[in-house]
Amino acid sequence: MRDPVARERIAVVGAGIIGCLVARELAERRPGAVVTLLDRDIAGSGASRLSAGTHIPRGYSDRFRRMTAYSQDWYEKLAAADPSLPIHPVAMHVVTAADELPPVYIPGSRPTRVPGIGAHMPAIAESARVWSVQGGHYADVHGLSRSVARELRGRIAVREGVQVTAVEPAAAEVTLRLGTDDDLVADHVVLAPGPWLDAPAWRDLLAPVGARVKKVVALHVDEPVPADAGVVVFQDEDAFLMPLAGHWLFSYTCRQWDVDPDTVTRGLTARDVIEANDVLHRCVPGLPGRYSAGRVFCDAYSAHGEPVVTHVGDRIVFAGAASGFGYRLAPAIADEVAQVIPTATGR
Ligand SMILES: Cc1cc2nc3c(=O)[nH]c(=O)nc-3n(C[C@H](O)[C@H](O)[C@H](O)COP(=O)(O)OP(=O)(O)OC[C@H]3O[C@@H](n4cnc5c(N)ncnc54)[C@H](O)[C@@H]3O)c2cc1C
């Protein structure tokens, strides 16, 4: 039997932005616990590495808007406490053909109808209506994940390059089998595997969650970026254009499902180029070119389009399937995880 005064042991598997923020939240809220963050690669190397990292202050349900508002506030406080973090506030315009914006923008974003997005920005359709919204930002998600992991060292164990090969629950604890051959035993395990839903270690545990993996494609649009350029959100197409490192990034909704993160092509296909340019030119008819550069990866999506935080065993919580919003909602996901793991006293 375990010593009743022994410290609580929590393992977080996956050190993407979600796993990193979950581990940070648990370290803050449970100072007595022994927290271990594991990743088979280095922190921030999965979907987080290629993320556009855009925070748009909207959500498509009450929970989604609550999570968006919570996360926005959390990131703003984090950036204020450490201005060197790669979190950049940005001007944001929303474009739609409709007379009104749908009521999806969080109250603090104060959507305000404006005449246009500015003459120096890419030429959107003349008939488009434009709103400016407050509170948008973008981040280097890979850099932020690594900064969080670096800051956590010393408070928790960060084990990079360690693959979890099996998860074996028992009544009183969970054993993680590791590629390094040393087992890790924990009272609670958080699985935050990003798009690696189908890993043999947890495939059966995660099957009831019903999440799927979808390809994510963004075009790199090599057109001049004005110094004061902001993000343009195309509400009707669920797409956006953002300034990034001397070019524009165009993110749109790719509809290619059930890809494998270990084999998904690490480059654009001809189909990606055609689809992405079609959407881009509908959004921004004034752009002169056909663009064939960008980034390709994938993300885990839930059936309802919102992140999932749920027990998949008595002592095992799954956190993810953030449906293309894993950066934006990671702080709120971490908050939900901290709330659902019972404390030793049962609270
Ligand atoms: C091109 C692109 C653009 C995007 N743009 C945005 C955006 O603008 N805004 C937004 O909010 N979101 C965006 N997203 C989505 C967002 O990036 C993801 O939802 C988020 O990064 C997911 O984080 P995660 O921690 O769940 O997963 P990941 O970052 O994938 O982390 C999972 C980790 O688990 C590890 N792992 C897997 N298997 C094992 C194992 N067996 N043992 C140990 N470790 C393991 C992996 O190595 C990985 O590091 C974008 C995604 C892409 C691909």
Side-chain angles (χ1 to χ4, degrees):
M1 197 173 145
R2 269 196 88 206
D3 175 352
V5 295
R7 293 171 68 191
E8 182 185 35
R9 302 156 300 179
I10 308 178
V12 180
V13 182
I17 189 65
I18 293 178
C20 285
L21 295 196
V22 166
R24 188 182 188 279
E25 206 59 35
L26 293 171
E28 298 274 318
R29 294 195 201 181
R30 299 189 186 213
V34 179
V35 179
T36 305
L37 175 62
L38 298 141
D39 201 293
R40 66 179 200 169
D41 204 319
I42 60 167
S45 296
S48 302
R49 187 173 74 87
L50 289 162
S51 186
T54 307
H55 167 81
I56 302 173
R58 71 179 176 194
Y60 291 97
S61 69
D62 288 343
R63 173 176 176 246
F64 199 151
R65 282 188 287 279
R66 259 198 325 276
M67 293 180 90
T68 298
Y70 177 96
S71 298
Q72 179 176 313
D73 186 53
W74 195 93
Y75 280 129
E76 283 172 358
K77 286 184 178 137
L78 186 74
D82 182 356
S84 71
L85 289 174
I87 299 175
H88 312 287
V90 70
M92 195 167 273
H93 288 99
V94 184
V95 172
T96 168
D99 288 332
E100 299 293 339
L101 274 190
V104 294
Y105 286 82
I106 61 172
S109 64
R110 302 192 299 281
T112 308
R113 182 84 186 266
V114 292
I117 57 173
H120 55 291
M121 300 282 280
I124 56 168
E126 274 183 18
S127 57
R129 277 86 161 149
V130 181
W131 279 259
S132 104
V133 294
Q134 308 302 310
H137 75 252
Y138 68 92
D140 165 4
V141 184
H142 170 73
L144 182 60
S145 305
R146 298 210 52 71
S147 292
V148 172
R150 189 169 51 241
E151 185 267 330
L152 281 172
R153 285 176 196 275
R155 291 203 278 156
I156 70 165
V158 179
R159 296 188 62 185
E160 295 175 306
V162 177
Q163 179 165 15
V164 175
T165 55
V167 179
E168 296 175 0
E173 56 195 24
V174 182
T175 301
L176 299 181
R177 307 272 177 218
L178 308 180
T180 45
D181 254 3
D182 51 333
D183 299 343
L184 181 72
V185 179
D187 301 298
H188 301 284
V189 170
V190 181
L191 298 176
W196 282 272
L197 298 174
D198 206 30
W202 45 72
R203 179 189 298 143
D204 294 342
L205 282 170
L206 299 194
V209 173
R212 291 169 68 189
V213 179
K214 189 174 80 57
K215 192 170 178 180
V216 181
V217 178
L219 270 192
H220 290 176
V221 178
D222 216 352
E223 295 293 339
V225 180
D228 58 346
V231 171
V232 185
V233 178
F234 300 95
Q235 181 67 36
D236 308 340
E237 295 280 1
D238 200 8
F240 63 83
L241 198 59
M242 67 176 275
L244 186 76
H247 60 85
W248 294 91
L249 179 143
F250 180 66
S251 168
Y252 71 103
T253 307
C254 173
R255 299 191 192 281
Q256 298 174 47
W257 287 93
D258 302 323
V259 294
D260 175 350
D262 287 326
T263 58
V264 65
T265 171
R266 289 269 185 173
L268 297 164
T269 62
R271 175 180 167 185
D272 297 332
V273 170
I274 291 167
E275 284 178 0
N277 276 278
D278 281 354
V279 185
L280 174 65
H281 287 283
R282 278 204 300 276
C283 291
V284 195
L287 278 175
R290 183 171 172 281
Y291 306 90
S292 53
R295 57 182 69 194
V296 178
F297 197 54
C298 58
D299 199 14
Y301 284 68
S302 69
H304 43 65
E306 289 181 17
V308 177
V309 175
T310 188
H311 273 95
V312 291
D314 281 349
R315 296 172 171 275
I316 307 171
V317 172
F318 169 72
S323 308
F325 308 116
Y327 166 69
R328 193 202 307 178
L329 301 179
I333 294 169
D335 174 57
E336 288 193 3
V337 171
Q339 291 186 43
V340 299
I341 298 181
T343 59
T345 55
R347 275 182 297 118

